[in-house]
PDB file of all heavy atoms in Angstrom:
ATOM      1  N   LEU W 119       7.691  -5.992  13.863  1.00 96.00           N
ATOM      2  CA  LEU W 119       7.116  -5.684  15.244  1.00 96.00           C
ATOM      3  C   LEU W 119       5.925  -6.470  15.595  1.00 96.00           C
ATOM      4  O   LEU W 119       5.640  -6.876  16.735  1.00 96.00           O
ATOM      5  CB  LEU W 119       6.925  -4.148  15.305  1.00 96.00           C
ATOM      6  CG  LEU W 119       8.157  -3.210  15.344  1.00 96.00           C
ATOM      7  CD1 LEU W 119       7.797  -1.763  15.377  1.00 96.00           C
ATOM      8  CD2 LEU W 119       9.005  -3.614  16.671  1.00 96.00           C
ATOM      9  N   ALA W 120       4.998  -6.568  14.587  1.00 96.00           N
ATOM     10  CA  ALA W 120       3.709  -7.246  14.791  1.00 96.00           C
ATOM     11  C   ALA W 120       3.999  -8.771  15.130  1.00 96.00           C
ATOM     12  O   ALA W 120       3.419  -9.323  15.947  1.00 96.00           O
ATOM     13  CB  ALA W 120       2.843  -7.149  13.548  1.00 96.00           C
ATOM     14  N   ALA W 121       4.977  -9.306  14.443  1.00 96.00           N
ATOM     15  CA  ALA W 121       5.268 -10.831  14.604  1.00 96.00           C
ATOM     16  C   ALA W 121       5.909 -10.930  15.978  1.00 96.00           C
ATOM     17  O   ALA W 121       5.607 -11.938  16.672  1.00 96.00           O
ATOM     18  CB  ALA W 121       6.325 -11.235  13.551  1.00 96.00           C
ATOM     19  N   ALA W 122       6.800  -9.987  16.379  1.00 96.00           N
ATOM     20  CA  ALA W 122       7.401 -10.065  17.738  1.00 96.00           C
ATOM     21  C   ALA W 122       6.237  -9.928  18.845  1.00 96.00           C
ATOM     22  O   ALA W 122       6.263 -10.672  19.824  1.00 96.00           O
ATOM     23  CB  ALA W 122       8.418  -8.991  17.944  1.00 96.00           C
ATOM     24  N   GLY W 123       5.345  -9.037  18.608  1.00 96.00           N
ATOM     25  CA  GLY W 123       4.221  -8.995  19.549  1.00 96.00           C
ATOM     26  C   GLY W 123       3.340 -10.283  19.631  1.00 96.00           C
ATOM     27  O   GLY W 123       2.901 -10.581  20.739  1.00 96.00           O
ATOM     28  N   ILE W 124       3.134 -10.766  18.497  1.00 97.00           N
ATOM     29  CA  ILE W 124       2.286 -12.080  18.427  1.00 97.00           C
ATOM     30  C   ILE W 124       3.052 -13.184  19.304  1.00 97.00           C
ATOM     31  O   ILE W 124       2.389 -13.824  20.102  1.00 97.00           O
ATOM     32  CB  ILE W 124       2.150 -12.516  17.008  1.00 97.00           C
ATOM     33  CG1 ILE W 124       1.188 -11.602  16.271  1.00 97.00           C
ATOM     34  CG2 ILE W 124       1.670 -13.988  16.888  1.00 97.00           C
ATOM     35  CD1 ILE W 124       1.056 -11.794  14.836  1.00 97.00           C
ATOM     36  N   VAL W 125       4.317 -13.307  19.019  1.00 97.00           N
ATOM     37  CA  VAL W 125       5.043 -14.376  19.669  1.00 97.00           C
ATOM     38  C   VAL W 125       5.095 -14.050  21.185  1.00 97.00           C
ATOM     39  O   VAL W 125       4.880 -14.990  22.002  1.00 97.00           O
ATOM     40  CB  VAL W 125       6.497 -14.484  19.117  1.00 97.00           C
ATOM     41  CG1 VAL W 125       7.405 -15.442  19.967  1.00 97.00           C
ATOM     42  CG2 VAL W 125       6.484 -14.970  17.651  1.00 97.00           C
ATOM     43  N   ALA W 126       5.359 -12.841  21.604  1.00 97.00           N
ATOM     44  CA  ALA W 126       5.458 -12.447  22.945  1.00 97.00           C
ATOM     45  C   ALA W 126       4.161 -12.699  23.680  1.00 97.00           C
ATOM     46  O   ALA W 126       4.104 -13.240  24.830  1.00 97.00           O
ATOM     47  CB  ALA W 126       5.886 -10.965  23.146  1.00 97.00           C
ATOM     48  N   ALA W 127       3.048 -12.281  23.014  1.00 96.00           N
ATOM     49  CA  ALA W 127       1.743 -12.537  23.711  1.00 96.00           C
ATOM     50  C   ALA W 127       1.391 -14.014  23.893  1.00 96.00           C
ATOM     51  O   ALA W 127       0.895 -14.454  24.928  1.00 96.00           O
ATOM     52  CB  ALA W 127       0.645 -11.835  22.933  1.00 96.00           C
ATOM     53  N   ALA W 128       1.708 -14.816  22.843  1.00 96.00           N
ATOM     54  CA  ALA W 128       1.410 -16.241  22.902  1.00 96.00           C
ATOM     55  C   ALA W 128       2.237 -16.894  23.928  1.00 96.00           C
ATOM     56  O   ALA W 128       1.817 -17.796  24.637  1.00 96.00           O
ATOM     57  CB  ALA W 128       1.614 -16.897  21.455  1.00 96.00           C
ATOM     58  N   VAL W 129       3.580 -16.500  24.034  1.00 96.00           N
ATOM     59  CA  VAL W 129       4.535 -17.042  25.049  1.00 96.00           C
ATOM     60  C   VAL W 129       4.026 -16.754  26.451  1.00 96.00           C
ATOM     61  O   VAL W 129       4.121 -17.541  27.336  1.00 96.00           O
ATOM     62  CB  VAL W 129       5.950 -16.587  24.773  1.00 96.00           C
ATOM     63  CG1 VAL W 129       6.818 -17.000  25.926  1.00 96.00           C
ATOM     64  CG2 VAL W 129       6.440 -17.228  23.427  1.00 96.00           C
ATOM     65  N   THR W 130       3.487 -15.549  26.607  1.00 95.00           N
ATOM     66  CA  THR W 130       2.956 -15.198  27.936  1.00 95.00           C
ATOM     67  C   THR W 130       1.813 -16.041  28.385  1.00 95.00           C
ATOM     68  O   THR W 130       1.785 -16.451  29.559  1.00 95.00           O
ATOM     69  CB  THR W 130       2.483 -13.653  27.903  1.00 95.00           C
ATOM     70  OG1 THR W 130       3.569 -12.828  27.505  1.00 95.00           O
ATOM     71  CG2 THR W 130       1.960 -13.244  29.206  1.00 95.00           C
ATOM     72  N   VAL W 131       0.950 -16.407  27.397  1.00 95.00           N
ATOM     73  CA  VAL W 131      -0.125 -17.315  27.674  1.00 95.00           C
ATOM     74  C   VAL W 131       0.347 -18.691  28.099  1.00 95.00           C
ATOM     75  O   VAL W 131      -0.093 -19.299  29.009  1.00 95.00           O
ATOM     76  CB  VAL W 131      -1.106 -17.383  26.549  1.00 95.00           C
ATOM     77  CG1 VAL W 131      -2.217 -18.479  26.758  1.00 95.00           C
ATOM     78  CG2 VAL W 131      -1.825 -16.039  26.274  1.00 95.00           C
ATOM     79  N   LEU W 132       1.366 -19.197  27.373  1.00 95.00           N
ATOM     80  CA  LEU W 132       1.969 -20.418  27.667  1.00 95.00           C
ATOM     81  C   LEU W 132       2.681 -20.508  28.979  1.00 95.00           C
ATOM     82  O   LEU W 132       2.619 -21.527  29.650  1.00 95.00           O
ATOM     83  CB  LEU W 132       2.903 -20.810  26.484  1.00 95.00           C
ATOM     84  CG  LEU W 132       2.274 -21.107  25.144  1.00 95.00           C
ATOM     85  CD1 LEU W 132       3.448 -21.240  24.075  1.00 95.00           C
ATOM     86  CD2 LEU W 132       1.506 -22.418  25.163  1.00 95.00           C
ATOM     87  N   SER W 133       3.322 -19.429  29.357  1.00 94.00           N
ATOM     88  CA  SER W 133       4.080 -19.432  30.615  1.00 94.00           C
ATOM     89  C   SER W 133       3.122 -19.213  31.843  1.00 94.00           C
ATOM     90  O   SER W 133       3.478 -19.647  32.884  1.00 94.00           O
ATOM     91  CB  SER W 133       5.114 -18.289  30.564  1.00 94.00           C
ATOM     92  OG  SER W 133       4.468 -17.020  30.415  1.00 94.00           O
ATOM     93  N   ASP W 134       1.990 -18.520  31.592  1.00 91.00           N
ATOM     94  CA  ASP W 134       1.107 -18.335  32.818  1.00 91.00           C
ATOM     95  C   ASP W 134      -0.306 -18.377  32.293  1.00 91.00           C
ATOM     96  O   ASP W 134      -0.988 -17.379  32.177  1.00 91.00           O
ATOM     97  CB  ASP W 134       1.393 -17.021  33.406  1.00 91.00           C
ATOM     98  CG  ASP W 134       0.731 -16.855  34.824  1.00 91.00           C
ATOM     99  OD1 ASP W 134      -0.071 -17.799  35.212  1.00 91.00           O
ATOM    100  OD2 ASP W 134       0.926 -15.823  35.497  1.00 91.00           O
ATOM    101  N   PRO W 135      -0.829 -19.621  32.131  1.00 91.00           N
ATOM    102  CA  PRO W 135      -2.178 -19.664  31.534  1.00 91.00           C
ATOM    103  C   PRO W 135      -3.217 -19.212  32.518  1.00 91.00           C
ATOM    104  O   PRO W 135      -4.296 -18.772  32.147  1.00 91.00           O
ATOM    105  CB  PRO W 135      -2.207 -21.245  31.227  1.00 91.00           C
ATOM    106  CG  PRO W 135      -1.260 -21.876  32.020  1.00 91.00           C
ATOM    107  CD  PRO W 135      -0.136 -20.951  32.078  1.00 91.00           C
ATOM    108  N   LEU W 136      -3.010 -19.385  33.816  1.00 89.00           N
ATOM    109  CA  LEU W 136      -4.021 -19.070  34.766  1.00 89.00           C
ATOM    110  C   LEU W 136      -4.289 -17.496  34.723  1.00 89.00           C
ATOM    111  O   LEU W 136      -5.379 -17.014  34.732  1.00 89.00           O
ATOM    112  CB  LEU W 136      -3.554 -19.455  36.143  1.00 89.00           C
ATOM    113  CG  LEU W 136      -4.570 -19.079  37.325  1.00 89.00           C
ATOM    114  CD1 LEU W 136      -5.974 -19.642  37.051  1.00 89.00           C
ATOM    115  CD2 LEU W 136      -4.017 -19.532  38.620  1.00 89.00           C
ATOM    116  N   ALA W 137      -3.233 -16.805  34.679  1.00 88.00           N
ATOM    117  CA  ALA W 137      -3.336 -15.259  34.540  1.00 88.00           C
ATOM    118  C   ALA W 137      -4.061 -14.882  33.315  1.00 88.00           C
ATOM    119  O   ALA W 137      -4.850 -13.935  33.259  1.00 88.00           O
ATOM    120  CB  ALA W 137      -1.935 -14.599  34.636  1.00 88.00           C
ATOM    121  N   ALA W 138      -3.779 -15.606  32.190  1.00 89.00           N
ATOM    122  CA  ALA W 138      -4.512 -15.264  30.942  1.00 89.00           C
ATOM    123  C   ALA W 138      -5.950 -15.547  30.956  1.00 89.00           C
ATOM    124  O   ALA W 138      -6.698 -15.032  30.241  1.00 89.00           O
ATOM    125  CB  ALA W 138      -3.778 -16.067  29.752  1.00 89.00           C
ATOM    126  N   ALA W 139      -6.326 -16.539  31.801  1.00 88.00           N
ATOM    127  CA  ALA W 139      -7.751 -16.984  31.854  1.00 88.00           C
ATOM    128  C   ALA W 139      -8.560 -16.201  32.940  1.00 88.00           C
ATOM    129  O   ALA W 139      -9.698 -16.333  32.937  1.00 88.00           O
ATOM    130  CB  ALA W 139      -7.805 -18.482  32.163  1.00 88.00           C
TER     131      ALA W 139
END
Side-chain angles (χ1 to χ4, degrees):
L119 290 175
I124 290 169
V125 173
V129 169
T130 300
V131 173
L132 291 172
S133 61
D134 193 355
L136 179 58

